[in-house]
Amino acid sequence: MKHVQNITDVGHLTSDEDAGEDKMEAGAKREGKSAWDVAKFYTKAFKSDFKKLNILPPDIWCKATDHIKEQIELIKVLEKKGFTYQIDDGIYFDTSKLKDYGKLVKLDIKGLKAGARIDIHGKKLKTDFALWKFSPKNKKRDMEWKSPWGVGFPGWHIECSAMAMKYLGNPFDLHCGGIDHAPVHHTNEIAQTEGATNKELAKVWLHGEFLIINKGKMSKSKDNFITLASLEERGFSAEDYRYFLLNAHYRMQLHFSWEALESAKCSLIRLKENVRTLKRSTSSKNTKNKYAKLFLDAINDDLNIPKALAITWTVIRDKDLANKEKILLMKNFDKVLGLDLFKREIKVAVPKEVLALVKQREAARKTGDFQKSDELRNKIKKKGFTVEDTSAGFKIKQ
């Protein structure tokens, strides 16, 4: 198995429809840095969060800016096959040349509402999309390259086809992404790859649904997103958030609330406490069980993680199952769940001043003064410690 993860560090405009400013260039202006520095900073942050969330790293990380040559070569192939045309702002893919364009989402091209795809002056069809964008005249971008068509930068979609073909060939087995990518980005990836190779891009597509907050899709562009850092500031761990996500099937929208996250945190604490109890037990009762198959069947049923998580709790509560078998099952289940159920806790010496703040926080919680509790938690965090609330009381971690 080979797992490839791409990083889009150029070419994705503020609109998914080839309009607006490049997001990296816009970010550079906003933060007073170069686009390269912005890309480096967020790539590092993304990988750090990846690790905190216990997501297995890919075999290959690949960045769009490292594969400009491959993207240009792919555009050349499309040009040679008659799939491209040039207008004032770049080179575009002619979607009329593919009879089944939009098949991934059964796109009703004739029924597209006005404005559903932005009508850029010079485009033959609203569904046509940029392969290569020209740099603005009399203006130098941070990220731009020479090409057979002029100085510019690649469109958003071409990077994925080029890098996938380089590292996985086509067709490859599984393509993942958000549900919002299906009608435009993934549809255009398919068009490029099939136009160039006469082969399908991927055999299976897996699209994750939205995380909803305040009745809307959580996204950076809408300024209604929550980062792991903001969760940690309120006393939640990445594992708490992971457990929260495991409670919903990837095809279903999940509504975020601090109450739901608190509930997930408490459930994870109870699960870990049960596992620790199993480890201390000396039970030697031996039984045969069906749970390994049930868990695998749930995973194989379109990644039914909520069902797999429910089976995990059934194992914990099964009084007829030997503890040593429960431990073995939990270890195997956690390879999928990624909750670090068997992670050894390291005891640290806690300064008296931190203990005093923790006691003040406990007193505030008992009286229902959660504003003061949050303020004290932040003071504790500034001193290098975090407080974890459990059913057996609080725990202090560094």
Side-chain angles (χ1 to χ4, degrees):
M1 184 182 75
K2 184 189 290 186
H3 177 197
V4 179
Q5 171 79 47
N6 70 302
I7 294 175
T8 299
D9 55 355
V10 70
H12 191 171
L13 305 186
T14 49
S15 162
D16 289 352
E17 312 283 2
D18 298 320
E21 189 175 11
D22 184 287
K23 288 188 174 183
M24 296 307 303
E25 299 283 331
K29 289 179 181 178
R30 182 180 63 249
E31 300 186 24
K33 302 176 181 178
S34 73
W36 294 97
D37 288 338
V38 170
K40 184 177 180 180
F41 175 85
Y42 285 104
T43 297
K44 184 178 179 180
F46 177 71
K47 289 183 177 181
S48 174
D49 284 352
F50 221 72
K51 186 175 181 180
K52 285 182 180 180
L53 286 165
N54 285 336
I55 300 174
L56 292 177
D59 300 297
I60 297 172
W61 290 100
C62 51
K63 297 190 299 182
T65 52
D66 287 339
H67 298 81
I68 300 300
K69 178 181 177 182
E70 288 83 356
Q71 294 173 72
I72 289 174
E73 291 302 314
L74 181 53
I75 297 170
K76 284 182 178 179
V77 172
L78 291 169
E79 183 180 49
K80 186 175 181 180
K81 290 193 170 188
F83 283 101
T84 71
Y85 62 89
Q86 181 173 333
I87 60 176
D88 289 345
D89 76 335
I91 306 298
Y92 280 73
F93 185 97
D94 187 345
T95 56
S96 69
K97 297 295 180 68
L98 283 180
K99 293 181 180 179
D100 57 358
Y101 176 79
K103 61 183 177 181
L104 180 67
V105 292
K106 298 181 174 62
L107 189 66
D108 179 13
I109 297 175
K110 291 183 179 179
L112 275 178
K113 296 179 181 178
R117 291 283 180 98
I118 290 176
D119 190 7
I120 295 175
H121 180 69
K123 278 174 56 170
K124 294 180 180 179
L125 294 172
K126 287 185 178 181
T127 50
D128 294 352
F129 57 92
L131 298 169
W132 187 264
K133 296 280 282 187
F134 299 139
S135 293
K137 295 179 180 178
N138 304 318
K139 180 181 177 182
K140 183 171 176 59
R141 289 167 42 92
D142 279 350
M143 293 179 167
E144 60 182 14
W145 295 265
K146 293 180 180 179
S147 80
W149 312 282
V151 175
F153 56 100
W156 174 28
H157 318 297
I158 195 68
E159 66 169 90
C160 296
S161 292
M163 292 189 289
M165 289 166 64
K166 177 175 181 176
Y167 294 110
L168 296 171
N170 69 295
F172 56 90
D173 292 326
L174 178 63
H175 194 310
C176 300
I179 190 68
D180 52 332
H181 287 169
V184 179
H185 183 46
H186 291 166
T187 288
N188 292 344
E189 281 186 62
I190 291 171
Q192 295 164 159
T193 301
E194 293 191 358
T197 68
N198 294 319
K199 297 178 183 178
E200 62 180 343
L201 174 62
K203 297 176 182 177
V204 177
W205 292 79
L206 189 155
H207 292 103
E209 257 292 357
F210 292 142
L211 182 62
I212 303 298
I213 183 169
N214 297 329
K215 298 182 180 180
K217 165 194 167 186
M218 186 181 290
S219 71
K220 191 170 183 180
S221 61
K222 293 185 178 181
D223 198 27
N224 67 340
F225 68 101
I226 295 172
T227 64
L228 279 184
S230 63
L231 297 182
E232 290 168 344
E233 287 173 1
R234 295 188 63 156
F236 297 99
S237 68
E239 287 169 4
D240 296 333
Y241 180 61
R242 183 180 176 99
Y243 189 95
F244 166 70
L245 296 177
L246 293 179
N247 281 277
H249 190 270
Y250 77 90
R251 290 181 184 268
M252 302 297 292
Q253 291 185 352
L254 178 59
H255 292 259
F256 177 88
S257 72
W258 292 108
E259 293 78 12
L261 187 57
E262 181 68 38
S263 177
K265 176 180 179 177
C266 292
S267 295
L268 179 57
I269 288 169
R270 290 198 303 273
L271 182 58
K272 288 188 174 183
E273 286 174 349
N274 275 287
V275 169
R276 282 194 287 270
T277 301
L278 293 176
K279 291 167 69 176
R280 291 193 295 268
S281 173
T282 57
S283 171
S284 59
K285 181 180 178 181
N286 192 18
T287 63
K288 291 185 178 180
N289 71 80
K290 58 187 177 182
Y291 293 114
K293 184 177 185 305
L294 287 174
F295 188 89
L296 185 60
D297 287 346
I299 299 303
N300 287 335
D301 181 17
D302 195 21
L303 288 179
N304 195 335
I305 300 295
K307 186 176 181 179
L309 190 59
I311 292 168
T312 301
W313 278 106
T314 302
V315 169
I316 289 291
R317 294 166 179 147
D318 190 337
K319 296 180 180 179
D320 295 324
L321 193 62
N323 283 345
K324 65 179 182 180
E325 290 190 63
K326 289 183 180 182
I327 291 172
L328 181 60
L329 286 167
M330 290 298 107
K331 286 183 177 179
N332 286 329
F333 291 178
D334 202 36
K335 291 177 182 177
V336 175
L337 300 176
L339 296 170
D340 279 343
L341 297 179
F342 290 84
K343 184 169 65 177
R344 185 176 298 174
E345 294 187 5
I346 301 173
K347 294 183 178 181
V348 295
V350 182
K352 290 182 179 180
E353 59 180 312
V354 174
L355 285 172
L357 290 171
V358 172
K359 289 179 180 178
Q360 291 176 42
R361 178 178 176 271
E362 280 298 293
R365 280 170 56 82
K366 287 179 180 178
T367 60
D369 189 349
F370 295 108
Q371 181 177 349
K372 185 175 180 181
S373 173
D374 287 344
E375 290 173 357
L376 288 165
R377 182 198 289 122
N378 291 333
K379 288 182 179 180
I380 294 166
K381 185 175 180 181
K382 288 179 180 178
K383 293 184 180 295
F385 293 84
T386 57
V387 182
E388 183 180 278
D389 300 306
T390 75
S391 57
F394 63 83
K395 292 184 179 180
I396 305 173
K397 295 183 178 181
Q398 190 173 33

